[in-house]
Structure formats: C-alpha cells, structure tokens
Amino acid sequence: MAAALGFATTQPTASPTPTATTPLIGDARKRIRIGKWEELIIAPGGTIDAAEYRRVAANYNSPEIMEYRLGPTAADFAGGKPQAAAPTIWGPDMTTGQGLWSYGTQPLNNPGEREKCLPPSQQPRSDQEEAALGLQGAGWLVGGQHLFLPDNPNDPDYKYGISNTRGADGAVFNTGGLCMRMIASWNYDWWNRGNIATPAQPEVRALAATRADLPLVPVAIARGRANASQISFAAFRDGTIAPIVLGNSGPEFFNTSALRLPAGMVPTAMAVTPYNEFLVVAVWDTNTVTGKLAFIALRPRQMAVGSPSQTPNTRWYWGTPGAWTNRGMKLLGFVDLPFAAPTSLDVSNNLYLQNPRGYSDNDAPARGDLSLQSARDLWRGVNPVYPAGEVQWHQLASGGYAVVASRAEGKVSFVDMTPLYQFYRSLYLTTQASFNRTLDVSLTDGAKFPFSFAAEPDQRPVVTTTLNVAQPTSVSAGVMAKGYINTRSEEYFEYVRRSPSEPWSGTAPERYLARSRAFVATMDGTVRGFNVQGLVFPSSPVGKTVSAIPLFSFAAGRNPAFAYVNATATASDDLWLVSRGDHRVTFAWPTGDVQYSFTDSRMVDPVAGSVSYNQAGYGGNGAGRAVNTPFISIMDFNGKAILTYAVNPRPARPSGELYPFVAPSGPVDVLFGSRAPTPGKPFMMDQEEII
C-alpha cells in the first residue's frame, strides 16, 4: 500500500551530526556571479560589504534590488545560449482567455451551463439583473493580496504595489449549472464585490494617505497558513508592519493600526505562525550590520466560538490560536541571528486543527473562557499530538520553531520558539493569578502584557542550530492542518500505516510528518528535508542540541522558491516550488517524493506561486452537481502576468468530485486556466478562502 501511495521511493538515511561549523551541505563557498546576476552584498573575501549592505537595504523595494532579491533568471543560467522551447499546456478554455470552465448536469429545460459561465464584462450589475438572467445561486471564492512593481508609480490605483486579488471563483446556480473561473482578478465584478478584488489594497491606501513618507511598494506580505486567516500583514522598507484584510465583510473590532520597527531595521521576509498567534519578521539591522528576527504578538479572536455577542466580546487572547480578525500587534523584541542578511523565513508549531468556521466548541464559558479554571484545566490537558477533530479546538501550542536563511552568506538557522509558546501557556492555562497578568495590557509598555523580552527574558526564542548551506534560496516549515484534502501526513501515517487510535510512541517522527520536518531549497535546485522533531515536541526524546537532522533531498528547477500553501490547497503539507532558473514548477510530498513537474511556453519569468482551491457546488447532491480543483497562481515577473493552472492533487482517497484532468491527448496532471496581465511586475501572492 505504501508503494501505491508513492511514499516508498524516498527513505531517510543516516547522516553525520550537524554542527554550527560543519559545511554539512554542498559547497559553502560563495558563487558571486551567475550570468549577469551578482550577489551584491558579499565582498571578494566572502565577508559582508557594509556599504553595499546598507545600500541594498535602503532600496529593498526598488526595481534594481527586486531583480537582485529574486535571483538569476533562466537566461542568466543559460549564459547566452538558446533555451529549449517549452510545451504549451492545454486548458478547457483555450478561446476566451478567461478560464471559464462549465461542468456538471442539469435539467434539459434550463439554460445551457456555458451561457451562465460569464466573463466579468458580462456579469449582472444588480440583484434584479441577476434574477432576470437566471444567475441566482451561491459562490465560492479564494483570494488574498499580490505584490507588484507598478508600471506607473503615479497611477492612483496601482502606485501602492498591492492589490486585493481574487485567485479564482466558482458558482452553482439555483436552476442548475456549475461554473469555475480560473483567472486572477483585482477588479470589481458582480461575483467579486466588497473587499474581494480592489486594485489598491484599502488599508494600505488609507495608511499611505496619512503617511506621506510610507515607502511604497511593500517588500513582503504574510498570512497564517493553517487557519481561517482573513487578516494578513504587509511589511514596508522603513520597518512599518500594517495589518490588512480581505473578505466579504469587515472583521469585528479589527484594529488597523500599523506598527513600526526601530529606525534602521529593514524587513526582508515575514511569516505568521499557523494559527495567527505571532508574526515573525526577518530584519537587516543597518545600524549594526547584523541580522535579527523580530517577534510580534497578535491578538485574534478565539477559535471555534460564535459571534462576538455570544462570547460577550471577551475572547481576544494575545499569542493564542485565533481567526477572523486581529485587535492589536505588539513588538516583543528581537533575537540576534548568526548572520547579517536573512532573506527567507518560515515558522510552525505543533498544533493540528482546521478551519474553525461554523464550529462553536468553545462557546460555553466553562470550555472557552480562560478566566475560568475549568476552561484552563481543559485546555491544559489536551495533547497536541492527537489528530484534528471537532472537539480539539481547545489547544495552545506547546512547541514550535522558525527556520531562516541567508542566501548571500550560505547559512540556515533553526530557532526554537518553544520558550515563547510555553510562557503563554503558563500565563493562560495555570492559575488565576497568572491569568490576571494578561489583563494589564499596553501596546507600548514592555512591562505590561504582552510582556517584552526585556521584561520577561525566559520567553525569548533561541537559535539552536546553524548550518552552512550553499546559496539557500527559500525555506519552508512543515505545517499540518486539516483542510479540504486533509494532509499527506494524515492520509498516509494515520490511515495507512497505523490505526488512528494507536498511541504515539514518542520516538517516531514520521507519525507527525509535516510538523516534524523543515525544508531548504538551494540555488542549484536541490531541496532538502530535515527532521526537526526536537523543536516541535518539547517532550520528544530527540534533543534540541541537534535540532535539524538531514533526511533526504530531491531535485527541483534552479533558483527555486517555495510557493505559499495553506489548508485551502492541495494539502497543507504539500511542497510546491517555482523555479525562476528553469521556468519549472515542481510538486512533491513532504516525504521528498516528487509527484510531477511542469513548464509552459507562456511562462516568461516565473518567480513565485500561491496554491489554493476552487470549487462550485458545495458538495452537491450527486454526480455532476459539484466540482472542485486545486490550482496554482504563478507570479510571472518580467512577463507581467499572473498565470493560473489547475493541478492534480493526487489524493490518497477521494475528496469530492475532481474536475477531470484530461486533455485531447489523454490524462494529464496540469490544465492551463488563464493568463491575467498585470499593471506591473508581480512577485508575491498569498490566498485564503473568502469569508
């Protein structure tokens, strides 16, 4: 059975114990030039050029430095030689260019499905027109934000370089018929109302109106990967971190106030812990020419509760799992890194939950109000290694980590965040006196909650292991969340190899595969997996002294970057890599087993990706009454477009009616959706279900 699922081909192998000084992986010597691209901040001797470091940081959102950040192109690797022509991937809508996919069965007397699958220009403009056209029904939308260098930096809509962007949508009509539109959009139409698709991200537009010095374009965005993360964050070159939102309706009590890092600290990468507990920011400190991680506490609404009126607006807990909104941000402090120029970052913890929408497990105060001892006892007693379920909402993470890399310096560090998680558990889940400390809140006073690292140093995360890795281009921390196609870890290790009721031995990292593995991609296209069980499970017999043990490697295209993947995707622990150097997209499971890769003649300069999930029919009521497909949005930087491809998720077990991956030539893994031209050069995107 294991071989049929594709897990038998890659096996962990014994490896030497890594240390901070061992050149464990590849050749740690710096390769300064690839074609016309140059590693700007490294001096000939391999040290940091302080003047160039500061120049790059001061221009981190400029066109010149963006090309530097994104790394060498396919032409750089080709060295002026002609590149082989890529195939052209077939798609169900090769004529309109709108990615209009009709599907399913319907009564013969209803209008044809293709007549209902409409491009934006033909959408109704009112409820009355919708009814007259027979288009009443329900929609499914996914979206987020995408970043781009605007063609016209003075354009009133696009100068901000960030749009609220719908990745794709689907509709089911009351009178029959299904439609999926596999095309990115940042402009209003009848199925994209409210805050779903806007050329200028509203919170950024509002912030820029009050801050003439705000250095547009944002350098990074980040969103929680495992939860219903309606709120995300945008980082700007001057250290401003702004909360931003996407959705049908405004989130309750959303605090739009931005936070600003101390002067001279430039954000270069950013990540949100899976359930919206903390925001972690990689920083170049131009004051001291050192690298740091900034840790910011978030204040979301408690998971699995009803409306605020049901929980009388009291369930807003700092640094705990939450959803839908955010009522504040506070900078806790910094952790010094053993290198100066962090360029990629990801974070994870040991929870395994799911989208809390529609659940009310924590409504009763005795179960969810952490000011009560009964609730604290319940939350403290839950074991985070249990599988997800409807009665597992009452949890706080007990362990977790960050993985951060410097491409220029050839370093990767693993940072133990367990002290931070354990500190918040000690405040929220022990005594009344400890809980009461969380009620004295200040966004600026470090001696008030959330406490700064200076006031409570025991909570500060710790760098545990640093590896020499030649030119790490991207990192990924394993996330395990129960989503639409569950997780590979659960499908394989829970249902195939073991009974879900079998107790965990405490020694087998593969049982909780996703949370116990981290991944590092390098310039040559190698992707390596590491066992980080010692960082994820504090009681694990795997020690923290050696916190990253090599497991396997596989090949992707050159200069690869991990795509953004959350629970609304193929599976939350899948790995997707976009190669700028080979115009290639690679899909692998967290075991390191490559499922397939693809390229396409339409890809001019792919630099990043975002994986999500489209559907029409909400499960349906029989064959042809619902359809779904995961897809990947590709940021084509110099091609100035967002490309959309449906991708076969290869589920271990059926999960709804999958759109048929069949071309005129026969079965395929990838279907072309559309190419949406952008008013600039896109370089980053995230997505979540629209709520």
Side-chain angles (χ1 to χ4, degrees), residues 449-469:
F449 191 70
F451 304 115
S452 69
F453 291 166
E456 294 283 352
D458 288 348
Q459 66 178 315
R460 188 192 300 270
V462 178
V463 177
T464 60
T465 298
T466 296
L467 304 177
N468 294 322
V469 181

Side-chain angles (χ1 to χ4, degrees), residues 291 336-340 404 409 411-413 463 465-466:
D336 291 329
L337 294 171
F339 43 80
V404 56
E409 295 162 282
K411 301 285 186 182
V412 177
S413 283
V463 177
T465 298
T466 296

Side-chain angles (χ1 to χ4, degrees), residues 83 156 162 181 228 269 278 380 408 410 417 442 490 495 570 667:
Q83 300 174 49
I162 179 171
R181 292 192 301 175
F278 300 98
R380 188 174 63 252
M417 292 179 60
S442 172
E490 179 186 72
Y495 291 109
T570 51

Side-chain angles (χ1 to χ4, degrees), residues 1-8 491-492 496 589 593 595 650-653:
M1 187 172 290
L5 287 172
F7 277 87
E491 294 290 349
Y492 183 63
V496 179
W589 286 351
D593 292 294
Q595 298 305 295
R650 295 193 174 177
R653 296 181 296 142

Side-chain angles (χ1 to χ4, degrees), residues 158-445:
Y158 293 109
K159 66 181 180 181
Y160 305 96
I162 179 171
S163 298
N164 276 7
T165 308
R166 182 216 70 206
D169 61 3
V172 54
F173 304 103
N174 294 345
T175 55
L178 302 172
C179 174
M180 289 194 300
R181 292 192 301 175
M182 305 296 290
I183 188 169
S185 176
W186 42 92
N187 289 291
Y188 168 94
D189 67 44
W190 187 244
W191 291 343
N192 292 276
R193 288 169 264 180
N195 199 29
I196 296 169
T198 56
Q201 205 291 321
E203 285 75 38
V204 171
R205 183 196 287 269
L207 179 62
T210 64
R211 283 273 313 278
D213 62 333
L214 189 70
L216 301 171
V217 172
V219 298
I221 49 176
R223 181 186 302 272
R225 288 175 52 201
N227 203 351
S229 300
Q230 189 177 2
I231 307 299
S232 57
F233 302 87
F236 298 84
R237 177 178 46 77
D238 70 342
T240 298
I241 313 292
I244 55 179
V245 66
L246 176 94
N248 286 318
S249 58
E252 305 100 343
F253 304 103
F254 176 42
N255 186 336
T256 62
S257 301
L259 174 154
R260 194 166 182 180
L261 301 177
M265 294 194 176
V266 178
T268 58
M270 192 163 57
V272 181
T273 55
Y275 294 94
N276 304 308
E277 301 98 334
F278 300 98
L279 174 65
V280 185
V281 185
V283 172
W284 290 18
D285 185 347
T286 61
N287 306 298
T288 58
V289 190
T290 59
K292 292 177 170 61
L293 289 185
F295 288 84
I296 297 169
L298 304 177
R299 193 187 183 197
R301 189 179 124 200
Q302 186 184 58
M303 293 176 59
V305 294
S307 68
S309 61
Q310 291 177 272
T311 55
N313 304 329
T314 59
R315 307 283 184 82
W316 309 93
Y317 299 125
W318 291 91
T320 64
W324 317 123
T325 187
N326 184 63
R327 294 193 71 179
M329 304 175 3
K330 183 175 181 179
L331 176 63
L332 304 179
F334 298 89
V335 169
D336 291 329
L337 294 171
F339 43 80
T343 47
S344 57
L345 166 72
D346 204 5
V347 292
S348 189
N349 61 32
N350 60 14
L351 292 187
Y352 179 23
L353 301 174
Q354 64 190 84
N355 187 326
R357 187 178 185 184
Y359 295 97
S360 56
D361 186 66
N362 293 323
D363 270 355
R367 297 177 64 84
D369 185 346
L370 297 182
S371 69
L372 302 178
Q373 193 65 45
S374 60
R376 294 195 292 269
D377 291 344
L378 176 66
W379 285 63
R380 188 174 63 252
V382 172
N383 186 339
V385 302
Y386 291 158
E390 295 180 16
V391 296
Q392 298 297 317
W393 300 108
H394 36 272
Q395 297 190 56
L396 266 66
S398 59
Y401 69 99
V403 54
V404 56
S406 169
R407 182 190 64 196
E409 295 162 282
K411 301 285 186 182
V412 177
S413 283
F414 294 84
V415 182
D416 187 9
M417 292 179 60
T418 297
L420 185 60
Y421 287 116
Q422 292 286 357
F423 180 71
Y424 276 70
R425 287 179 66 87
S426 73
L427 291 175
Y428 280 117
L429 304 185
T430 55
T431 66
Q432 189 66 46
S434 294
F435 177 82
N436 289 344
R437 296 186 69 198
T438 71
L439 304 179
D440 185 17
V441 175
S442 172
L443 292 178
T444 57
D445 186 347

